[in-house]
């Protein structure tokens, strides 16, 4: 089944101690859609400006991503400029220029409104709800969020949580959302706010799935070198939902396997700037790393 | 086969936001020996003062731990007083009084010098080497260490690393030891310093085993509440070596399973103050949690 992906599309500048890369394709929806596209038919909803490079349109098209929901507005594409320290877990934002993203109003094309799988990548909960209202009978809705919305849009976020099947959130944000230091307890409290499945991203430490009757704990794929972790969480999410949609049946077993695929694809993301690595993936590369990962984790 | 455990034996005061517990049995060797004793015959080498409570001697004896290497000296037992914040990952040391531990000279009884498995719990590398020099033909030697020795006793620590089979070290210390931010790369660099197996403890995020030809990544057992994590690393180490010694064959497969047992026993440690929970364990409790853990981690 197809996946509808909505979120930000950005042009990123990424600075590391050894490199500065400009004009990279970035944004939550870009990463998620490209990574979902390895597993299922993907529809992208987003907005770009006049300056958005044709090569990135071609990249989406090369992955057979349906761009009927991609608007081009007059102005600049959302721009993010971030700097990583020697330890890539430490980053700071230098510049955020919203550009055309500031007035983004994701009106879905009619043919997108029947999408069974909906991936609400990280944008404001109000926009996520706006999209959700247009979907006729969603089978499975997953949303990502961030600390900004926990701080500035809590009522909308809580409303969203009651309407989605799964939330994907990083560990510090999960703790902040429910004001609880113990991560497992935080997951339990978020579960009570609505979503049947709470998926917590722990970066290099992997991820956790919490549901009322089960816990699943998954390490990350071990990397000897992290080049640029930007978008790793969105890649995880995109591959997760993409793989799940390819299976039709949203069982707990399938959700666990989907997290494994998300983990594998996210590891590739970290090995290159922007979408350098993930955009060049193929199933053989994914399956090879999956085999290694099983070996690394079996006991 | 038997395990010789050498390290500190302490009387701890543990402060959490809700409790203050005094006169707790603590120290690296206490935790490690008790936890090893669930799996194999255990010999304890350490020193205590006049004030050391009889009930803790009885606790060691109840676990059939051989105390021929336990010295009682005139003076006070090593005392540690520590305070945890609401987030139990954050702690500070209020008091460290070495007492009789200051002049600890671990001379092994003759019958301990044939021990096949040697667990050098966290004490100075000089003392760890002093013990190792007395062991005739060790089959498998594991050492723990800490940031203090990395800073103040690096030459001795490097000498130790060349003589042991496995080092167990926490993540921040591993990075500090080889001045490398990437944990997997840090493990590789430590591996090159001597020990065939590098086991990195990541607390609530689990542990990693690195050897030249393999990586094994293991999450921690998920806990809804952490009461007191003091000694969890020593418990992990004790159970790990104890279980391994019970198997004779130190294969990579057995080492992985030993880490799983270490993980399970360490999780119990965190659920009570000091040795409250671990000292009351039995194989049924361990095996029950192991079954759960398999369910939580299988995909």
């Amino acid at each position: 089944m197809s996946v509808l992906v909505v979120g930000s599309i950005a042009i990123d500048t990424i600075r590391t101690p050894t490199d500065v890369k400009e004009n990279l394709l970035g944004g939550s929806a870009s990463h998620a859609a490209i990574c979902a596209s390895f597993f299922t038919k993907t529809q992208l909803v987003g907005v770009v400006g006049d300056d958005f490079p044709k090569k990135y349109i071609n990249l989406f098209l090369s992955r057979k991503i349906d761009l009927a929901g991609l608007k081009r507005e007059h102005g600049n594409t959302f721009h993010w400029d971030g700097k990583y320290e020697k330890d890539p877990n430490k980053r700071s934002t230098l510049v955020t220029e919203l550009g055309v993203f500031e007035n983004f109003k994701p009106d879905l094309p009619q043919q997108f409104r029947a999408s069974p799988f909906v991936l609400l990548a990280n944008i404001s909960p109000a926009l996520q709800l706006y999209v959700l209202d247009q979907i006729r009978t969603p089978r499975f809705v997953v949303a990502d969020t961030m600390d900004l919305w926990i701080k500035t849009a809590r009522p909308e976020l809580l409303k969203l949580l009651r309407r989605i099947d799964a939330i994907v959130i990083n560990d510090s944000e999960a703790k902040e959302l429910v004001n609880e230091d113990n991560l497992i307890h935080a997951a339990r409290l978020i579960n009570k706010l609505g979503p049947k499945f709470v998926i917590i991203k722990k970066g290099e430490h992997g991820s956790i799935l919490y549901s009322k009757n089960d816990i699943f704990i998954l390490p990350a794929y071990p990397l000897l070198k992290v080049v640029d972790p930007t978008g790793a969480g969105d890649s995880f999410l995109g591959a997760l939902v993409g793989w799940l949609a390819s299976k039709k049946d949203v069982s707990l077993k399938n959700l666990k396997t989907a997290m494994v695929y998300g983990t594998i694809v996210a590891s590739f993301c970290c090995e290159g700037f922007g979408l350098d690595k993930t955009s060049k993936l193929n199933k053989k590369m994914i399956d090879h790393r999956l085999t290694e990962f099983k070996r690394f984790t079996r006991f």
Side-chain angles (χ1 to χ4, degrees), chain A:
Chain A
M1 281 190 249
S2 64
V3 172
L4 180 140
V5 176
V6 59
S8 62
I9 299 170
I11 299 297
D12 286 351
T13 299
I14 309 280
R15 299 163 198 271
T16 70
T18 52
D19 276 294
V20 177
K21 298 281 178 184
E22 295 181 311
N23 286 311
L24 293 167
L25 177 59
S28 59
S30 307
H31 285 280
I34 293 281
C35 293
S37 75
F38 290 102
F39 305 100
T40 199
K41 192 165 163 36
T42 304
Q43 301 160 330
L44 177 61
V45 177
V47 63
V48 298
D50 307 307
D51 59 344
F52 193 71
K54 183 84 174 77
K55 64 177 175 181
Y56 294 142
I57 296 288
N58 289 339
L59 173 61
F60 288 134
L61 292 174
S62 76
R63 296 295 323 142
K64 295 189 173 34
I65 293 171
D66 187 338
L67 299 182
L70 180 67
K71 283 187 202 170
R72 188 184 282 264
E73 303 281 2
H74 195 58
N76 285 332
T77 304
F78 178 30
H79 173 60
W80 183 76
D81 187 331
K83 186 180 173 183
Y84 288 92
E85 291 179 34
K86 188 160 154 278
D87 177 351
N89 294 306
K90 294 170 185 160
R91 85 167 183 201
S92 49
T93 292
L94 303 182
V95 175
T96 304
E97 289 166 348
L98 292 176
V100 295
F101 190 66
E102 187 161 9
N103 298 309
F104 180 40
K105 196 152 175 282
D107 294 303
L108 307 189
Q110 280 303 323
Q111 69 272 28
F112 280 18
R113 299 182 183 208
S115 288
F117 284 78
V118 181
L119 191 169
L120 306 169
N122 180 27
I123 46 173
S124 79
L127 285 186
Q128 291 173 318
L129 284 165
Y130 184 77
V131 169
L132 205 45
D133 284 337
Q134 298 170 63
I135 307 283
R136 280 186 217 112
T137 51
R139 263 185 69 124
F140 198 77
V141 181
V142 185
D144 195 353
T145 194
M146 73 186 291
D147 50 358
L148 176 66
W149 314 124
I150 295 171
K151 284 185 184 75
T152 64
R154 182 176 281 267
E156 294 85 351
L157 181 56
L158 292 177
K159 190 175 169 192
L160 178 77
L161 288 174
R162 290 192 291 273
R163 292 185 56 189
I164 60 179
D165 299 282
I167 179 80
V168 174
I169 186 168
N170 81 29
D171 48 359
S172 63
E173 290 161 355
K175 292 174 179 180
E176 186 181 346
L177 176 57
V178 290
N179 191 27
E180 166 60 48
D181 287 317
N182 180 294
L183 192 60
I184 309 296
H185 196 199
R188 174 187 271 191
L189 294 174
I190 296 171
N191 180 237
K192 286 181 178 171
L193 294 176
K196 190 175 170 192
F197 302 108
V198 178
I199 297 170
I200 296 183
K201 298 175 288 183
K202 305 195 295 171
E204 64 173 318
H205 300 301
S207 55
I208 292 177
L209 167 68
Y210 185 94
S211 70
K212 201 177 168 191
N213 299 311
D214 213 341
I215 294 179
F216 175 56
I217 318 159
L218 189 65
Y221 179 91
L223 291 174
L224 270 169
K225 184 167 169 56
V226 170
V227 173
D228 167 23
T230 314
D234 306 307
S235 302
F236 171 82
L237 180 56
L240 187 162
V241 181
W243 189 86
L244 200 61
S246 77
K247 294 297 146 183
K248 294 179 186 171
D249 170 24
V250 185
S251 64
L252 194 66
K253 184 171 179 292
N254 276 344
L255 197 51
K256 290 178 181 179
T257 309
M259 284 172 66
V260 175
Y261 278 94
T263 296
I264 298 300
V265 171
S267 73
F268 284 109
C269 174
C270 295
E271 290 184 305
F273 283 95
L275 280 138
D276 276 4
K277 291 283 173 186
T278 37
S279 62
K280 294 183 188 77
L281 279 182
N282 58 49
K283 288 212 170 179
K284 197 179 160 191
M285 293 161 75
I286 295 169
D287 287 341
H288 176 76
R289 192 162 276 195
L290 177 64
T291 304
E292 281 185 312
F293 188 59
K294 283 179 182 167
R295 185 162 61 82
F296 294 162
T297 55
R298 281 283 182 276
F299 60 86

